[in-house]
Amino acid sequence: MAGRDISNVVEIIKKDFKSAFSNPIVTIVLIGIIILPSLYALINIQACWDPYGNTGEVQFAIANLDKGASYDGVEINVGDELIKDLKNNDKFNWTFVTEDELRDGVYKGDYYAGIVIPKNLSENILSITSDDPQQAKLEYVVNVKSNPVATKLTDSGANAVYNALNAKIIEIINLAAYGKLGELQAGLASGAGQLSSGGSQLSAGSAQVSSGASQLSSGAGQLSDGASQLSDGASQLADGAGQVAGGTQQAYDKVNTYNTEIHEATGYIREHTSSSIIHEVTDKIDSKSENVTGKVQQLNDGAGQVADGSASLAENTGRLKLGIDELAEGSLSLAAGAELLGNAAAQALFTAAASLASTANTLGEITGINETILGDYFYSPVTLDRHEVFSVPDYGSNVSPFYLVLSMWVGALITCAMLKPGVAKGTKYSPLEMYFGKLAIFFILSILQVSVTIIGAFILGIYIANVPLFIFSALLVSAVFMVLIYSLVSALGDVGKAVAIVLLVIQISGTGGIYPVQIMDHFFQVLNPYLPMTYAITLIREAQLGLVWSNYLPALAILLGIGIVTVAVLLVVKEKADTAAHYFEKRLEDSGLF
């Protein structure tokens, strides 16, 4: 800019500062403009400092109608157990009323919500032990129109009751199963002892079988020796019988020959003598010789039979010896097999007994656990170990980046709405001289506004991880917002104010300051990358709650880029549209409404 242009800008700045302190009312208004944005941020942050920690004041009605039930001779009332648990729970102001009081109170809005515990709750829970289990139910009554946030809070209260009830059910079921587990452990231990005893008996029995088989083998060996001797004797007998048979045959042949000769001798004698005495004698000799022949024949036949029987006896005793030898060998195999079988079976039984004993010991360790500890385990068998990255001590500090940035936008908007940015029409100043001359007081007011806000943040106790970077970021964001809105209003007049207000409305939902932009309408998701507050919130959040340079630096560059481009465009617009903007504002003033 030329020297004359700069002097005009300085002249405009001096006039503005002189006007700011020439009238106490103006000074008071300016002080109000400086303080008001900080109150907008700090009051909202304080209001929601710990909203979920103050739910203890929210009334939640409970009506317990449970009549209880009996299980194994023990009276159980789950509804009463729930009431005891809730009385020790300070998350809500649990109010215990009748069913009619609950329904009427929720209907009128005296209670945001309530739960009716039915009369058959315990009965249905214990039905799990029967053949016809029934699902237990709670009735959740909620007045949705009373308050949108309260409804969500009472939903968490209903879940607390629901979880407590389920924990009771799990405890009842699992402790009952735990008792059965103890019985199983005792049975397994007894069975293991019996199996071990059976293994010992089987081992002893197999030893006896092996011993008997060994004795049988020994006896079979002795029998085999006797059979061998018998076979040898039978062979000798057969040989002797054969010799006897041969001898008797020879005797028979001799006798038969002698008998023939006697007959022939007697037959001469008969032919040459006729004496009766001689005939009688010869007849007797024939008779005796025939008798001898017959006896010798019988002896010969008997000797042959003896020889045949002796040969058969010798053959059969040989076979008997082979069979006895096979018996002896089989007895030895039987003894070895019995010992092997006995050892294997006994080992199997001992192994099974050891396994059952180990299982019984394991179950014994489990069933020896304290029931209170076991109940806690069943209530929460898996725990979630939470590890926080960039931990924030309170909810107010967590939402403060959004409210702080929002207060800076609101502060700039209020300032530009209360102070005139100036129109060059009808003055000696050019539009650009007017723009830069008026910008100074707006810029200074933005610095003062954010300074009050920063001081208030420290007084309030907002968590700040990086103080120098937080201060720098807050000053930068406030200055950029003021330049943006001032440029809009300076170039477009009241239209610029309207644009700034529309941007405010859109940015409340579209920047992801409170709710993730991913859950918002698609319209806001599309606009999110183009909104200045998106990057301003990132700057404040990174500096305040934990710095990640890869998040901070791109947001800084984009925010400065938006500011530079916007100012450049609006300077061109102001140069061209300053007269039109003046005309538009004049017409609004002439209406008497603006």
Side-chain angles (χ1 to χ4, degrees), residues 20 56 80 91 121 169 179 223 286 316 345 356 366-367 373 375 421-422 455 556 574:
D80 289 346
K91 294 297 183 181
L121 178 68
I169 296 173
L223 185 60
D286 287 338
N316 287 331
L356 283 182
I366 294 174
T367 54
I373 298 175
I455 293 171
L556 175 63
K574 183 171 180 62

Side-chain angles (χ1 to χ4, degrees), residues 237-249:
L237 178 62
D239 292 340
Q243 293 175 2
V244 171
T248 57
Q249 183 65 41

Side-chain angles (χ1 to χ4, degrees), residues 403-425:
Y403 285 110
L404 291 173
V405 170
L406 186 61
S407 72
M408 296 173 194
W409 188 277
V410 171
L413 182 59
I414 292 174
T415 302
C416 293
M418 296 290 292
L419 276 65
K420 288 185 176 182
V423 178
K425 179 69 174 178

Side-chain angles (χ1 to χ4, degrees), residues 491-492 572-582:
L492 303 177
V572 174
V573 172
K574 183 171 180 62
E575 187 72 26
K576 304 295 183 182
D578 188 68
T579 301
H582 174 73

Side-chain angles (χ1 to χ4, degrees), residues 198-280:
S200 299
Q201 293 176 3
L202 179 58
S203 181
S206 67
Q208 293 177 358
V209 171
S210 178
S211 175
S214 298
Q215 293 175 2
L216 178 60
S217 177
S218 176
Q222 295 175 0
L223 185 60
S224 177
D225 293 339
S228 296
Q229 296 175 2
L230 179 61
S231 179
D232 293 341
S235 296
Q236 295 174 2
L237 178 62
D239 292 340
Q243 293 175 2
V244 171
T248 57
Q249 183 65 41
Q250 292 176 0
Y252 174 75
D253 291 341
K254 292 290 185 180
V255 170
N256 195 34
T257 301
Y258 291 153
N259 191 32
T260 301
E261 291 177 352
I262 289 172
H263 275 295
E264 290 178 351
T266 56
Y268 301 136
I269 293 176
R270 286 189 187 92
E271 289 178 357
H272 297 287
T273 59
S274 60
S275 175
S276 59
I277 294 173
I278 293 174
H279 280 280
E280 182 179 351

Side-chain angles (χ1 to χ4, degrees), residues 145-424:
K145 81 169 187 178
S146 59
N147 186 285
V149 175
T151 301
K152 298 301 179 184
L153 292 176
T154 54
D155 284 349
S156 68
N159 285 331
V161 177
Y162 169 78
N163 291 333
L165 175 60
N166 280 336
K168 287 293 180 185
I169 296 173
I170 292 172
E171 181 180 356
I172 290 172
I173 294 173
N174 285 291
L175 288 179
Y178 173 69
K180 297 297 181 184
L181 199 62
E183 296 176 5
L184 175 61
Q185 182 268 336
L188 287 176
S190 175
Q194 293 176 3
L195 278 179
S196 180
S197 175
S200 299
Q201 293 176 3
L202 179 58
S203 181
S206 67
Q208 293 177 358
V209 171
S210 178
S211 175
S214 298
Q215 293 175 2
L216 178 60
S217 177
S218 176
Q222 295 175 0
L223 185 60
S224 177
D225 293 339
S228 296
Q229 296 175 2
L230 179 61
S231 179
D232 293 341
S235 296
Q236 295 174 2
L237 178 62
D239 292 340
Q243 293 175 2
V244 171
T248 57
Q249 183 65 41
Q250 292 176 0
Y252 174 75
D253 291 341
K254 292 290 185 180
V255 170
N256 195 34
T257 301
Y258 291 153
N259 191 32
T260 301
E261 291 177 352
I262 289 172
H263 275 295
E264 290 178 351
T266 56
Y268 301 136
I269 293 176
R270 286 189 187 92
E271 289 178 357
H272 297 287
T273 59
S274 60
S275 175
S276 59
I277 294 173
I278 293 174
H279 280 280
E280 182 179 351
V281 171
T282 56
D283 288 341
K284 286 182 180 179
I285 290 173
D286 287 338
S287 174
K288 293 295 184 180
S289 64
E290 289 177 357
N291 188 27
V292 170
T293 300
K295 294 296 184 182
V296 172
Q297 180 65 43
Q298 290 178 357
L299 177 61
N300 184 40
D301 292 340
Q305 291 175 356
V306 170
D308 292 340
S310 298
S312 176
L313 176 61
E315 180 181 357
N316 287 331
T317 53
R319 292 177 181 174
L320 176 61
K321 182 180 182 302
L322 294 175
I324 291 173
D325 289 340
E326 292 178 358
L327 175 62
E329 293 177 359
S331 297
L332 292 175
S333 299
L334 174 62
E339 185 174 2
L340 180 63
L341 175 62
N343 291 338
Q347 183 62 38
L349 285 179
F350 284 136
T351 301
S355 298
L356 283 182
S358 175
T359 303
N361 290 336
T362 301
L363 289 178
E365 293 174 0
I366 294 174
T367 54
I369 298 174
N370 182 278
E371 290 191 5
T372 301
I373 298 175
L374 189 68
D376 293 338
Y377 172 82
F378 285 141
Y379 178 80
S380 181
V382 178
T383 59
L384 183 64
D385 192 6
R386 179 185 174 95
H387 294 276
E388 294 185 347
V389 180
F390 300 116
S391 179
V392 180
D394 49 75
Y395 184 78
S397 297
N398 212 349
V399 299
S400 61
F402 170 75
Y403 285 110
L404 291 173
V405 170
L406 186 61
S407 72
M408 296 173 194
W409 188 277
V410 171
L413 182 59
I414 292 174
T415 302
C416 293
M418 296 290 292
L419 276 65
K420 288 185 176 182
V423 178

